[in-house]
Amino acid sequence: MSVTVTVECPDDDGMVHLTIADTGIGIPETDREAIGLPEETPLTHTRGLGLWILYWTIQTSDGTIELEHNDPSGTLVRISLPTASQSS
């Protein structure tokens, strides 16, 4: 498995953009769907706390996270966070 991390410094939008791409087994569709919901239920949940912690930390920091399939295998995680000057 390989992992690539790319960071783009703030542009006109004042956000830092971080992209993490791996060639692993990927994040299951049910996990990717579950973190976008307002709460975990017995029918919609993830396999662990890692994605939930990441998602809610980014959300409370006024950022965004997107999870996608990496072609041909793995996951793309795109995170955008405001700079310190943008978040105050």
Side-chain angles (χ1 to χ4, degrees):
M1 178 173 82
S2 67
V3 177
T4 303
V5 178
T6 306
V7 178
E8 294 177 29
C9 294
D11 234 348
D12 293 335
D13 64 358
M15 303 286 276
V16 173
H17 303 282
L18 173 69
T19 303
I20 305 160
D22 73 39
T23 58
I25 61 171
I27 297 172
E29 182 70 26
T30 54
D31 286 11
R32 290 188 290 124
E33 289 175 358
I35 67 163
L37 299 173
E39 63 184 26
E40 186 172 21
T41 70
L43 296 177
T44 56
H45 56 86
T46 63
R47 293 180 294 173
L49 293 175
L51 281 177
W52 281 105
I53 292 169
L54 180 65
Y55 178 80
W56 288 113
T57 300
I58 292 168
Q59 289 295 308
T60 58
S61 300
D62 296 325
T64 61
I65 182 171
E66 298 173 15
L67 303 172
E68 301 174 16
H69 291 290
N70 191 13
D71 193 29
S73 68
T75 304
L76 280 174
V77 179
R78 291 189 172 96
I79 300 170
S80 296
L81 292 167
T83 62
S85 62
Q86 289 293 103
S87 61
S88 31

